[in-house]
Amino acid sequence: MLQDTYRHKGLRKQLVNLIRSKGIHDSGVLRAMETVPRHLFMDSSFLEFAYEDKPFPIGSGQTISQPYTVAFQTELLEIKKGEKVLEVGTGSGYQTCVLMELGARVYTVERQKSLYMRTKLFLPTIGYNPKMLIYGDGYKGLPVQAPFDKIIVTAGAPFIPPELKHQLKPGGFLVIPVGSDNQVMKRIIRTGDSTFGEENHGTFRFVPLVEDKAFE
Ligand code: SAH
């Protein structure tokens, strides 16, 4: 069932070449994406779409992010082995696994219960074990486990949740798409106790980061 064949590996190599041609140069990021079997994160009847550079529905109205977007956000994070990383929006768990391939210790939060349960059961079956996979509201971050070296938000945020900025270590990064219809990819850098730098890195389109709704 959970097979990763030469055909899959070949398709993945082509996808990585495409992502490289679109401007991703970090060799660690490209290697991680060549390793994680994206087809296993989607329903097997959609196999032919797994290695296209497109987002894809994963149920509960959510999507697995476009591979280029995953690569772009991951590159901006500049992950070093052993870093403690918070991901907001676990979804399929694909991005989670890319971060783990780079040696990150990943804490990930999902607010949709059905997705949370599915991904929590699924990841260990393909050999990935995040430090924590939590059902909750990512706007609040994880105050008990904070601070983090890096934080990534994988849904479009209407504003930058202040809690997330304050759960960064000094020198840490928050990579977050901000906006309602389209989003600007922002990288926030904690430069001091209460000082932050902010960079813009182009426009993207994400499903919305949902605030304080019933968690179903
Ligand atoms: N990283 C995922 C992308 C999933 S899409 C992947 O690789 O597949 C974004 C996810 O963010 C969705 O699963 C959605 O349910 C989740 N989400 C939306 N609002 C959230 C919130 N407030 N807290 C945590 N997760 C949230």
Side-chain angles (χ1 to χ4, degrees):
M1 251 270 287
L2 299 179
Q3 273 188 4
D4 190 28
T5 65
Y6 281 109
R7 180 167 160 256
H8 297 125
K9 291 188 172 89
L11 290 170
R12 209 146 62 233
K13 206 171 199 77
Q14 284 177 23
L15 175 64
V16 166
N17 286 338
L18 177 67
I19 288 171
R20 188 188 288 111
S21 77
K22 290 184 176 179
I24 304 295
H25 297 303
D26 186 309
S27 56
V29 173
L30 294 169
R31 202 177 315 118
M33 298 204 44
E34 200 169 321
T35 307
V36 181
R38 189 170 188 261
H39 64 285
L40 298 181
F41 294 75
M42 297 165 47
D43 192 302
S44 57
S45 47
F46 300 123
L47 187 58
E48 64 208 276
F49 299 106
Y51 294 111
E52 289 187 4
D53 191 22
K54 290 184 181 151
F56 203 81
I58 51 172
S60 311
Q62 303 306 325
T63 58
I64 178 170
S65 300
Q66 181 178 348
Y68 173 74
T69 307
V70 171
F72 191 88
Q73 286 197 282
T74 309
E75 187 168 69
L76 281 180
L77 283 172
E78 298 179 11
I79 303 285
K80 288 165 203 73
K81 210 168 159 34
E83 279 185 338
K84 191 172 163 189
V85 178
L86 169 64
E87 177 190 27
V88 173
T90 314
S92 67
Y94 175 71
Q95 170 79 71
T96 316
C97 293
V98 170
L99 294 168
M100 281 188 279
E101 280 295 337
L102 287 162
R105 293 179 289 133
V106 184
Y107 297 70
T108 183
V109 184
E110 172 58 53
R111 71 171 287 288
Q112 289 252 2
K113 194 156 202 179
S114 51
L115 266 179
Y116 155 79
M117 290 194 295
R118 175 151 48 107
T119 302
K120 194 175 178 78
L121 289 175
F122 169 65
L123 292 189
T125 69
I126 57 165
Y128 288 102
N129 294 291
K131 278 273 165 197
M132 286 192 177
L133 199 159
I134 293 168
Y135 169 54
D137 180 9
Y139 272 93
K140 301 179 180 66
L142 291 178
V144 176
Q145 287 75 22
F148 298 95
D149 294 295
K150 309 283 164 67
I151 301 178
I152 174 174
V153 177
T154 70
F159 58 90
I160 300 169
E163 288 88 341
L164 294 185
K165 282 168 51 168
H166 287 98
Q167 290 178 20
L168 285 173
K169 290 184 190 173
F173 299 167
L174 162 63
V175 172
I176 180 169
V178 183
S180 43
D181 192 13
N182 292 308
Q183 293 87 31
V184 174
M185 190 66 76
K186 293 198 177 272
R187 180 163 71 174
I188 312 296
I189 302 161
R190 187 165 201 174
T191 49
D193 207 33
S194 53
T195 53
F196 297 89
E198 187 173 320
E199 302 166 354
N200 292 335
H201 291 276
T203 307
F204 290 80
R205 250 193 123 97
F206 283 79
V207 296
L209 186 67
V210 185
E211 208 175 352
D212 275 344
K213 296 254 176 67
F215 288 178
E216 284 313 326

